[in-house]
């Protein structure tokens, strides 16, 4: 069963709020933490290699970079000098300016889909997961990091001999996975990462509400996600990533929220959910 546009867009919006405090992110958003520079709509990081993937794709699309960015590409590709590049003011300013380049924006959309959403969709398909909440949980985990590690530690006995229906298995597996991830975040050695347990707190709250369809409105990390925001002007064919900064800002005029800090410590691939019987 393929997920609907609504389910995919809801998952995208939730994770973008976690990452950038905006429902569809900002192409010029930039932060620096233990993963180095985090950039763009999905906070592509230096340490994970996703920042290089974006810039490399943008170059192939014809983007022209200032010298300070060109000089940093080797470090981005090799994932080296992470802290030093994060302190380079001229580099960060150049990246922020590049956020307005349509080719950089296209590269961000393509890499975000290829590295994060497509693997989440494939993981759900591989284990026959159908709930929008399951998609959002897996997409967030792949984006945030350590999906593979925690997935393989989550063990729920598969349906068989009338013991459990498929949907019951899915919901039990996701519940146990989110609980495990919540505990992992709360006790992580990196203080900044411990602060991101609001992500799992949100999912645990939806599970407690039995909101597996992610019915709107949703309160996501201080932002009220509504139908009007998800589908601007009532048009389900409007591409969420193509909202202008002005439209995003207008929707949230007067709302203040704490920005999330992205974390990506791996390079997760499109691997289906695997559990042990």
């Amino acid at each position: 069963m393929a997920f609907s546009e609504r389910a995919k867009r809801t998952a995208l919006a939730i994770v973008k709020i976690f990452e950038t405090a905006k429902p569809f992110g900002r192409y010029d958003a930039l932060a620096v933490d233990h993963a180095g520079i985090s950039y763009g709509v999905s906070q592509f990081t230096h340490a994970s290699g996703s920042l290089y993937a974006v810039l490399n794709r943008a170059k192939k699309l014809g983007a022209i970079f200032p010298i300070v960015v060109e000089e940093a590409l080797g470090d981005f590709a090799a994932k080296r000098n992470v802290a030093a590049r994060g302190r380079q003011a001229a580099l960060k300013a150049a990246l922020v300016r590049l956020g307005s380049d349509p080719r950089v924006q296209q590269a961000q959309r393509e890499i975000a889909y290829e590295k994060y959403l497509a693997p989440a969709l494939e993981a759900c398909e591989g284990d026959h997961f159908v709930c929008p909440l399951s998609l959002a949980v897996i997409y967030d985990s792949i984006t945030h990091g350590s999906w593979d590690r925690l997935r393989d530690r989550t063990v729920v006995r598969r349906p068989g001999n009338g013991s459990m229906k498929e949907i019951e298995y899915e919901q039990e597996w996701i519940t146990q996975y989110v609980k495990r991830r919540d505990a992992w975040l709360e006790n992580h050695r990196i203080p900044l990462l411990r602060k991101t347990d609001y992500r799992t707190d949100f999912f645990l709250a939806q599970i407690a509400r039995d909101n597996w369809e992610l019915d709107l409105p949703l309160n996501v990390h201080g932002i009220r996600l509504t139908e009007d925001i998800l589908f601007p002007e009532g048009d389900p064919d409007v591409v969420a990533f193509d909202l202008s900064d002005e439209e995003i800002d207008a929707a949230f005029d007067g709302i203040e929220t704490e920005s999330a800090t992205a974390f990506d410590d791996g390079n997760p691939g499109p691997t289906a959910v695997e559990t042990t019987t």
Side-chain angles (χ1 to χ4, degrees):
M1 173 183 172
F3 284 97
S4 66
E5 175 66 16
R6 177 182 299 277
K8 288 184 283 188
R9 193 171 300 197
T10 301
L12 284 167
I14 289 169
V15 176
K16 294 301 178 291
I17 291 171
F18 289 160
E19 295 281 307
T20 68
K22 298 283 187 178
F24 301 115
R26 296 183 70 106
Y27 295 107
D28 62 353
L30 189 147
V32 178
D33 59 16
H34 61 281
I37 293 173
S38 297
Y39 178 65
V41 292
S42 288
Q43 291 292 276
F44 307 97
T45 64
H46 182 166
S48 71
S50 59
L51 175 56
Y52 175 74
V54 166
L55 295 175
N56 187 50
R57 180 67 56 84
K59 284 197 71 171
K60 291 180 179 179
L61 293 170
I64 298 175
F65 298 153
I67 293 175
V68 68
V69 175
E70 286 284 355
E71 291 177 343
L73 288 178
D75 281 349
F76 291 153
K79 307 177 191 177
R80 65 180 177 234
N81 296 325
V82 173
R85 290 299 184 184
R87 293 191 297 267
Q88 194 173 353
L91 172 62
K92 292 183 286 186
L95 288 171
V96 169
R97 289 193 294 271
L98 282 172
S100 64
D101 187 323
R103 291 157 295 193
V104 174
Q105 294 177 0
Q106 180 180 342
Q108 290 190 34
R109 292 193 297 269
E110 291 179 0
I111 298 301
Y113 180 83
E114 293 169 15
K115 286 183 68 68
Y116 307 128
L117 185 58
L121 291 167
E122 188 167 346
C124 287
E125 181 181 356
D127 219 14
H128 309 292
F129 286 178
V130 298
C131 297
L133 178 55
S134 301
L135 174 62
V137 165
I138 294 173
Y139 173 56
D140 177 61
S141 189
I142 290 175
T143 301
H144 197 217
S146 296
W147 154 246
D148 293 338
R149 181 188 313 170
L150 296 175
R151 174 202 64 196
D152 294 341
R153 296 176 183 174
T154 304
V155 180
V156 175
R157 186 173 298 278
R158 287 185 173 277
N161 301 320
S163 61
M164 185 183 296
K165 296 179 180 178
E166 285 290 338
I167 191 66
E168 293 172 342
Y169 165 75
E170 173 182 348
Q171 293 178 0
E172 179 63 18
W173 193 94
I174 290 293
T175 299
Q176 295 306 318
Y177 174 82
V178 175
K179 288 180 178 179
R180 179 177 292 274
R181 185 170 186 82
D182 185 60
W184 179 75
L185 288 174
E186 289 178 348
N187 296 283
H188 203 279
R189 60 183 176 80
I190 298 175
L192 281 174
L193 191 55
R194 292 200 294 270
K195 294 181 179 180
T196 65
D197 69 339
Y198 56 78
R199 305 169 89 118
T200 44
D201 288 345
F202 168 80
F203 291 127
L204 288 171
Q206 301 314 306
I207 291 170
R209 291 176 53 202
D210 201 29
N211 189 19
W212 290 91
E213 294 300 313
L214 290 177
D215 294 327
L216 300 175
L218 290 169
N219 181 12
V220 186
H221 197 39
I223 296 294
R224 184 175 172 82
L225 186 60
T226 65
E227 188 83 10
D228 290 342
I229 292 172
L230 206 60
F231 292 99
E233 299 179 359
D235 184 357
D237 295 323
V238 173
V239 178
F241 276 140
D242 286 342
L243 286 176
S244 69
D245 286 346
E246 291 75 17
E247 289 171 314
I248 292 172
D249 290 338
F252 292 92
D253 187 31
I255 296 178
E256 295 183 358
T257 178
E258 179 183 356
S259 296
T261 300
F263 175 77
D264 187 350
D265 66 349
N267 184 25
T271 307
V273 175
E274 297 172 358
T275 52
T276 305
T277 55

